[in-house]
Amino acid sequence: MNRHYKTLELDKILQMLADETAITDAKELALTLEPQKSLDKCERLLKETSDAHMLIGRFGAPSFGGIMNVTNALRRAEAGGALSAGELLSIAQALRVLKAVKDWRSKSAGVETSLDARFISLYTNPNLMDKINACIISEDELSDNASRELSAIRRNIRVASSKAREVLDKIIRSSTYQKYLREAIVTQRDGRYVVPVKAECRNMVAGLVHDTSSSGSTVFIEPMGVVNANNEIRVLQGKEEAEIERILFELAGNCAACASDIIDSYKILVELNLIFAKAHLAYRMKATLPKLNQNGVIDLKKARHPLIPSDRVVPVDLYLGKDFDTLVITGPNTGGKTVCLKTLGLLTLMAMCGLMIPASENSELSFFHRVLVDIGDEQSIEQSLSTFSAHMTNIVSILKLTNRSSLCLIDELGAGTDPVEGAALAVAILETLRERGAKIAATTHYAELKEFALKTDGVENGCCEFDVKTLRPTYRLLIGVPGKSNAFAISSRLGLEEKVIEKARLLTSSESRQFEDVVESLEQQRQKLADEIEQARQQTLEAQKAKEAAEKELENAKKEAKREIDYAKRQASELTTKTRAQAYALLDELDKAKKEQRSDTKSAIKKSIRELEDTADPVAEQKESDYKLPRELIVGDKVLIFDIDKKAEVLEKPEKGMVLVQAGIIKTRVKLSNLRLLKDEKVTAPKRPERKITKDVTRSASTEIDVRGMTADEAVITVDAAIDSCVLSNTHTLTIIHGKGTGVLRSEIQKFLRHHKSVKSFRLGAFGEGESGVTIVELK
C-alpha cells in the first residue's frame, strides 16, 4: 500500500471493510481497494454505497453467504471436461445464492437505485440448480433417482448382496462351521463378502483367501458358495461407476452451456457484496454521505476518527480551502493535534474509496489526486519518523510530488533541530507548498508559525483546546485562535517549584511573553463569547419549548371548544325532539278535550303551555348575588359585566344606577349591580351560577290511539306524535285503532311504520284484540 495511505491507517479501515464481506474474493477485493483517480468515479462509488445503505435500512440486507468461486470448474466443463460431485454441488450453491439475491431485489421493486443494472444482470437457472440437487446427495453419493439405469443397477446390487448374505448367514449359523470361525460375523474385503476363519482351520472351509489379520491368527475366506454372487456384485458395481460418470458428465455439459453467464454473475455478486459491505460498515460507524468537490474545499462537521472507540472519540469541526488554504494547528502535546490531521486525511481517503464517513450530515470533502503525509508520532503503530533527517526526507519527497490537486498533512513541522532554524525552515516550506497550490494542514509548537499565520492572508491559526485546571485536553479544535503550549502551567500543576518556573519566565524574550499574553487574552475573550453563545442557545431552546407548549395549549382549547359545541348541538337536538313531542301531546289533549267537552280544558292547556315554554327555554334565571362595590367607580376602572362574564373598562362616572363601559369594541350602559370591580386584573371573577338545561320531560303517554274517521295524512301525523310520546315515557307497546273499512287507512299506517326508526315490529290484532281493525306496534 502507498506509504502515505498506510500512515493514515487506511489499511485498518480496509480490514474492517473486509470483515463485513461474506465472499472470499470480495474480501480480497476490499483489502486491495484504492482511492479513485477521478471525481466522477468517486461520486459513482459513493452513490452505490448510499443506495445500498438505503436498501438495507428499508428492506434488510441480502445474503451472500455460502457461495464459492466456481470459475475454474466451469471453464473445465466448458472445455469438455468432467466435474466431480463436489464441484457440481458448488455450482448449484452458486445458482441458489444468485437466485436468492435476485429475489431479494425483486421484493424491493419500485425503488430505483444505481445498483439495478447489476441486479438485472444476475443469471439464474432454477432448473439446473434443482437437477443437480436432485441427482447429487453429497460429494460422495448420488441419488438413486439420478437416472433409471442407476436405480435398476443399484436394485440388482441389493438383490445379489442379499443372496450372498443369505448363504453366509447359513454358514455362520451352521454348527458344522461355527467351531472353525473366529467370530460369527460377515464382513468385506476388497468389496467381496467373507467370513473370519481361524488360521489353523483354513483348510476346513472351502473357499478363496482374501486377507489375513495383522496377528496372522485369522484369515478372511470367501466361501465357494458366494463366489458367483460376489462376482455378480462386482460387475454391477462397475456398471454403477460407469453410470455415475455418465451422469456427472451430463451435468457438467449442462453447466458448460451457461458457464459464462454464471461466471459473469459471480463477478457481479462479488462487487455487490463489497458495496453492501461498505453500507454495513457505514451503519457500524454511524456514517453519512459527504458532498464531493474538486475545488479543495473541506468542511467537516462533527467528524470522528473511525479507529477511536465511540465512547472516547471527540467530534471535531474542521474546514479548509475556502477562506484559507493553510491551517496551522498549535497546542500542547497529547492535545489531539495529530488526531485532527489523521481524521482529515483518513476521511478524505475513505470518501475517495467510496466509503461513507463518520461525520454529521452535509459535511463536504474535496477530491485530491495526491494525499501526502509526514506524520511520525508515538501514536503511529507501524511507523515512527521522529528525527529531523527522517522528517526532511519525507518533506523532500512531498515537495517533488505536490501540485494544485494535493493535500499535504505535516506533523510537527520543523521539529528536531535548532528552534530558530527550524521555525524559519517551517515557514519557507509552507510558503513553497502554497506557491504550488496545495491545501495544507500542519501542526507545530513554534510561535513564529503562529505569527506567520496571523500576518499572512490565506493562512489560519487553529488550536486544540486544553484545560489547564484539570491538565486534560478537551480535544476540541478551535479554528481562528492560536494555541498555547502551556508548559509553565502544566509544570506548575505537576509540582515543579515556583522559583524554577519564574526563572524560566524571565529567560523567555519579552516579545514571546507579550505574544503569549495576547494569545491568552484572545482565549479568554473567546471562552467568554462561547459561554454567551451557549447561554443564548439555551434561552432560544427554552423560548422554543414555551412556544410549542402555548401552541399545544391553544390546540387543546380549540378541541375543547369543538367538543362543547358538539355537545350543545346534541343537547339542542334532544331539546327539539322533546319539545315537538310535547307539542303533539298538547294537540292530543286539545282534540280529546274538544271531543269530551271538559270544563277544565282552559286551565289544563295553559299549564301544558307553561311546561312547553319551560322545556323550550331551559336556561335558568341567574340569581342575584349579595356583592356590593367596595367603592364608587371612577373612569378607567377595570370591571366585570357579571351576567355575560365579560371584562370592560369604565368610560364615565355612574349616573342613576347606570354606567357607560367599553367591552372590546362595544360601548354600552350597564347597571351598577351587574358590575364587579377588578383589582389589577388579578381578582378572580365571581363564579356565575351554572346554566341548567332540562334533562327530562315526564309526560304520560297513551298506549292506545284511535284514528278512525281521519284522512290518511292526519292519521300518519297522529301516529308519529303518539310514537314520540311513547318513546319519551319509556312505553314499548302502542295499539292503533284504524278500523277495518276499505283497508286504505291500515295500509298507509303500516307503510309508515315500516320505515320509522323507533318501531321494532308491528302486527294485526289477534282474536279479542280487534283483529284486522287494529295494529299492535312494538317499539325499540
Side-chain angles (χ1 to χ4, degrees), residues 34-99:
E34 290 187 352
Q36 296 299 307
K37 301 300 182 183
S38 72
L39 178 63
D40 291 341
K41 289 183 179 180
C42 292
E43 289 179 335
R44 177 175 57 82
L45 292 181
L46 280 173
K47 174 62 175 171
E48 291 173 350
T49 305
S50 176
D51 287 345
H53 189 268
M54 178 271 295
L55 289 173
I56 290 176
R58 294 185 61 179
F59 308 106
S63 175
F64 297 93
I67 193 170
M68 298 175 60
N69 191 343
V70 292
T71 302
N72 292 335
L74 288 169
R75 292 302 184 200
R76 192 165 67 254
E78 208 172 22
L83 300 179
S84 66
E87 290 173 328
L88 288 167
L89 286 175
S90 296
I91 293 172
Q93 177 66 6
L95 289 171
R96 186 195 67 78
V97 175
L98 287 168
K99 183 177 182 301

Side-chain angles (χ1 to χ4, degrees), residues 584 588 705-707 710 712-726 734-738 745 749-750 752-753 756 759 777 779:
Y584 285 140
D588 291 342
I705 59 170
D706 188 352
V707 296
M710 298 184 185
D713 292 338
E714 291 174 344
V716 168
I717 293 173
T718 303
V719 169
D720 187 24
I723 291 174
D724 287 342
S725 297
C726 289
L734 176 65
T735 301
I736 305 172
I737 304 172
H738 44 65
L745 197 58
I749 290 174
Q750 291 183 353
F752 169 73
L753 293 176
H756 198 290
V759 175
V777 181
L779 302 175

Side-chain angles (χ1 to χ4, degrees), residues 424-703:
L425 197 58
V427 171
I429 291 170
L430 288 180
E431 289 181 339
T432 303
L433 292 174
R434 293 189 67 217
E435 288 172 359
R436 297 180 183 180
K439 300 297 181 287
I440 310 157
T443 67
T444 185
H445 285 284
Y446 291 140
E448 289 83 354
L449 284 181
K450 302 177 192 178
E451 186 178 356
F452 169 73
L454 288 172
K455 293 180 178 179
T456 308
D457 291 336
V459 182
E460 188 61 82
N461 271 305
C463 71
C464 287
E465 194 177 47
F466 192 87
D467 191 343
V468 181
K469 296 180 181 178
T470 61
L471 288 181
R472 291 182 180 179
T474 65
Y475 300 109
R476 292 176 55 205
L477 178 65
L478 307 175
I479 295 180
V481 180
K484 293 181 61 178
S485 295
N486 294 302
F488 294 158
I490 294 173
S491 301
S492 177
R493 294 281 295 184
L494 292 175
L496 187 63
E497 294 182 9
E498 192 63 31
K499 292 181 180 179
V500 177
I501 296 173
E502 191 59 35
K503 287 182 180 179
R505 284 197 178 96
L506 293 174
L507 291 173
T508 57
S509 65
S510 59
E511 292 83 359
S512 178
R513 286 199 302 272
Q514 291 175 359
F515 182 79
E516 291 296 328
D517 291 341
V518 171
V519 171
E520 184 174 0
S521 175
L522 288 173
E523 174 60 18
Q524 291 175 354
Q525 294 179 12
R526 185 203 64 78
Q527 188 63 48
K528 181 179 179 182
L529 181 60
D531 293 341
E532 291 176 354
I533 292 174
E534 178 62 22
Q535 185 178 1
R537 190 181 70 83
Q538 292 292 340
Q539 291 175 351
T540 302
L541 288 176
E542 291 175 2
Q544 183 66 26
K545 289 180 180 178
K547 179 183 177 184
E548 292 175 356
E551 290 176 349
K552 186 176 181 181
E553 186 174 350
L554 177 61
E555 184 66 24
N556 291 336
K558 289 181 179 178
K559 291 180 180 178
E560 184 64 26
K562 187 177 183 303
R563 282 196 295 269
E564 289 293 333
I565 292 172
D566 292 342
Y567 176 74
K569 287 180 179 179
R570 289 196 300 271
Q571 291 292 93
S573 177
E574 182 181 347
L575 180 61
T576 302
T577 302
K578 291 179 179 179
T579 305
R580 183 178 62 189
Q582 283 187 312
Y584 285 140
L586 184 57
L587 289 174
D588 291 342
E589 289 290 333
L590 284 171
D591 290 341
K592 191 173 182 181
K594 184 177 181 182
K595 290 178 180 179
E596 296 178 358
Q597 296 182 353
R598 294 203 309 262
S599 58
D600 59 344
T601 302
K602 187 173 182 180
S603 59
I605 291 176
K606 286 183 177 180
K607 181 180 179 182
S608 298
I609 291 174
R610 285 195 298 272
E611 291 177 357
L612 181 61
E613 290 174 347
D614 291 340
T615 303
D617 186 13
V619 180
E621 290 291 333
Q622 293 190 24
K623 296 180 181 179
E624 293 292 337
S625 65
D626 297 331
Y627 177 82
K628 292 183 179 181
L629 291 170
R631 60 174 174 80
E632 186 177 350
L633 296 179
I634 60 175
V635 176
D637 277 345
K638 303 297 182 183
V639 294
L640 177 74
I641 304 174
F642 179 65
D643 59 351
I644 63 173
D645 195 20
K646 186 73 174 178
K647 290 183 180 180
E649 182 179 354
V650 176
L651 298 179
E652 296 180 357
K653 289 184 178 181
E655 291 183 4
K656 299 179 181 180
M658 303 291 288
V659 62
L660 180 65
V661 298
Q662 181 168 359
I665 61 173
I666 303 299
K667 294 181 181 180
T668 183
R669 292 191 178 273
V670 184
K671 291 181 180 180
L672 279 173
S673 59
N674 196 27
L675 296 180
R676 304 291 184 267
L677 180 63
L678 299 179
K679 297 180 180 179
D680 300 327
E681 295 189 5
K682 296 181 181 179
V683 177
T684 303
K687 187 175 181 181
R688 296 173 55 200
E690 296 182 355
R691 299 198 299 174
K692 299 180 180 179
I693 297 178
T694 303
K695 294 292 183 180
D696 191 16
V697 178
T698 304
R699 294 195 59 84
S700 61
S702 176
T703 60

